[in-house]
Amino acid sequence: MNNQLNTIQGKVVLVTGGSRGIGKAIVQLLAHAGATVVFTYSNSAGAAMDLAASFQAQNLQVHAFQADIRDKDVVEGLVETIETRFGPLFGVINNAGITADKSAVTMSSENWEDVIATNLSGTFYLTQAALRKMIHHREGKVIMMSSVSGLQASPGQANYSATKAALVGLTRTLSHEMARFHIQVNAIAPGFIDTEMVQNMDEAARKRIKNLVPARRMGTVEEIANCALFLLSSGADYITGHTLVVDGGMSV
Ligand code: NAP
């Protein structure tokens, strides 16, 4: 049987923010599916190097690079390095993202600009550099990590929700610009996912969150990674411009 759901064997895929959380789970799944995975980190050098070494010890192709995605020159250089060292870049998962939560009236310009620079501008510059290569390859897959915070009100997250909504618009526009080059651009919008950030909350806060979700549980990082693998596969070649909501029904 031709399994169109796992067609990334040998393909080169870049995952931003792969040192922990959702990004780490995506790196793990893609590596086990046979992809050559390059992942970036910002500060977590120790964790990133340990992670890459643990995969390499299993003969899996995983490579870690320090790269601040806010820096246009850095991301352009990263894409060049990937193509030179590992071959044609097939997929990009724009996973790196930050929060700096405050009510809008007390939000500093630093809080606002940091989140825009990382979640939106950094994602755009990296995607732009990658698309310039993918257009020549006449194939490619780009995935934006949005959030349900970009689809519905999220008090205390004016900066974050603005960027995550913007990624939905960016996804739609790029999907039309890129379709004729056989490049698909999609987004994933997770709800509450059980990452370190949520694990550090007290039990009462975790219970409040679970009660907002019809499924009465948080999602797992593996559930988001499965969606990324699907969207990278040839089984998803006719899906583009879409935002896949993965939130246990919370935003419906
Ligand atoms: P996380 O655990 O906080 O990890 C964030 C990752 O992004 C880390 O690898 C971090 O690197 C990297 N990063 C941050 N700033 C960067 C920069 N300027 N340049 C390069 N890399 C940078 O995040 P997460 O909870 O797994 O979330 C991953 C994505 O899913 C984010 O875009 C987030 O908005 C989205 N999301 C998460 C949830 C959730 O419930 N967790 C829900 C909806 C959407 P370092 O480790 O080096 O700092």
Side-chain angles (χ1 to χ4, degrees):
M1 189 177 73
N2 177 17
N3 184 358
Q4 290 192 317
L5 298 183
N6 184 1
T7 51
I8 62 159
Q9 178 101 31
K11 302 275 192 189
V12 178
V13 181
L14 168 62
V15 182
T16 65
S19 49
R20 52 198 164 92
I22 292 171
K24 181 176 170 181
I26 294 173
V27 169
Q28 192 155 11
L29 187 61
L30 300 187
H32 284 286
T36 294
V37 187
V38 176
F39 77 87
T40 69
Y41 61 94
S42 178
N43 300 309
S44 311
M49 291 308 160
D50 288 351
L51 187 63
S54 75
F55 286 116
Q56 286 159 8
Q58 303 168 64
N59 282 328
L60 297 173
Q61 286 297 316
V62 177
H63 309 273
F65 283 81
Q66 200 281 335
D68 184 339
I69 62 160
R70 294 172 297 182
D71 188 325
K72 188 170 186 282
D73 293 338
V74 165
V75 295
E76 287 177 353
L78 174 67
V79 169
E80 290 297 336
T81 303
I82 291 171
E83 290 251 331
T84 307
R85 283 188 53 185
F86 305 110
L89 180 59
F90 172 75
V92 171
I93 302 182
N94 285 297
N95 169 76
I98 59 166
T99 53
D101 296 354
K102 288 268 164 54
S103 87
V105 291
T106 59
M107 186 171 287
S108 67
S109 47
E110 194 186 4
N111 292 151
W112 175 260
E113 281 158 18
D114 273 356
V115 173
I116 303 287
T118 306
N119 298 7
L120 183 55
S121 303
T123 296
F124 175 71
Y125 291 130
L126 176 57
T127 301
Q128 185 184 49
L131 289 175
R132 287 173 177 154
K133 299 293 183 192
M134 290 174 180
I135 284 172
H136 286 291
H137 309 324
R138 289 292 191 272
E139 67 168 4
K141 304 268 187 187
V142 175
I143 300 174
M144 310 291 183
M145 201 58 74
S146 180
S147 167
V148 290
S149 301
L151 307 177
Q152 61 181 33
S154 187
Q157 294 197 305
N159 48 2
Y160 182 79
S161 67
T163 61
K164 295 300 182 179
L167 292 181
V168 172
L170 182 61
T171 297
R172 288 184 179 138
T173 294
L174 292 180
S175 73
H176 277 214
E177 290 188 10
M178 292 299 127
R180 69 183 189 281
F181 303 110
H182 313 290
I183 298 166
Q184 291 82 46
V185 184
N186 291 291
I188 298 172
F192 289 114
I193 305 302
D194 204 356
T195 57
E196 275 166 43
M197 183 184 76
V198 181
Q199 283 155 14
N200 290 337
M201 289 177 175
D202 62 44
E203 198 42 47
R206 288 172 61 88
K207 200 169 167 198
R208 265 199 312 280
I209 287 176
K210 284 181 194 165
N211 284 336
L212 292 172
V213 184
R216 291 290 181 268
R217 68 171 178 89
M218 291 180 212
T220 66
V221 291
E222 290 79 14
E223 285 170 321
I224 303 302
N226 286 333
C227 296
L229 178 61
F230 168 61
L231 289 173
L232 285 174
S233 74
S234 66
D237 278 354
Y238 204 54
I239 301 174
T240 196
H242 185 72
T243 297
L244 181 54
V245 179
V246 190
D247 69 349
M250 186 177 72
S251 62
V252 176

